[in-house]
Amino acid sequence: MTVRDADSKKLLEEIGLKKPIDIVPDAVFGLAVKQQASIWLTDQSLSADFITISVRDWPVETDFIRKLAAVCDRFAKKGTEILFVPMHGEDDRQTARKLWGGIWRQRLDTYQ
């Protein structure tokens, strides 16, 4: 059994899984992806370099929305477009909206 983080391993152990559990990186990082056209991406009519972000509101003590907003703002100031991709429906959309609001707050704080 493989998991991506220590909390997942702990949960499986707590619910009684007896098999060995290894923590490994997300498998998607090991994929060899060929360049291919994306109809969806083409339809976005992007005029600059871009990054995509999928963000989830995990229950953590760190204010990651504020920190990620600052990172996104640095990209945006360089002309990079930011695409938010909700992977898990409305919850991810709401978190992306909070992040987007944080990016604009970062800009307002900078210019005041």
Side-chain angles (χ1 to χ4, degrees):
M1 171 72 63
T2 61
V3 295
R4 295 183 297 180
D5 57 78
D7 288 341
S8 296
K9 179 178 180 177
K10 182 180 173 188
L11 175 63
L12 291 174
E13 291 169 342
E14 287 173 357
I15 63 173
L17 185 68
K18 302 294 184 207
K19 304 268 183 187
I21 304 168
D22 294 317
I23 300 173
V24 298
D26 193 321
V28 74
F29 293 116
L31 293 176
V33 179
K34 297 177 185 176
Q35 289 285 357
Q36 59 184 3
S38 165
I39 295 169
W40 178 86
L41 192 55
T42 302
D43 288 346
Q44 303 311 303
S45 302
L46 299 171
S47 60
D49 289 337
F50 67 92
I51 60 172
T52 57
I53 297 175
S54 177
V55 62
R56 182 146 317 120
D57 197 359
W58 293 107
V60 294
E61 294 179 20
T62 304
D63 185 4
F64 77 94
I65 294 288
R66 183 181 57 77
K67 291 179 180 184
L68 189 52
V71 170
C72 289
D73 192 52
R74 291 172 90 181
F75 276 103
K77 285 178 181 175
K78 292 180 180 181
T80 304
E81 294 194 47
I82 301 168
L83 295 177
F84 293 99
V85 181
M87 301 297 281
H88 292 297
E90 190 55 34
D91 289 339
D92 286 3
R93 280 187 196 87
Q94 289 176 7
T95 304
R97 286 184 193 108
K98 282 196 281 188
L99 175 56
W100 185 245
I103 294 168
W104 287 106
R105 277 194 300 282
Q106 288 283 337
R107 288 183 175 205
L108 291 173
D109 291 346
T110 300
Y111 298 116
Q112 289 182 355

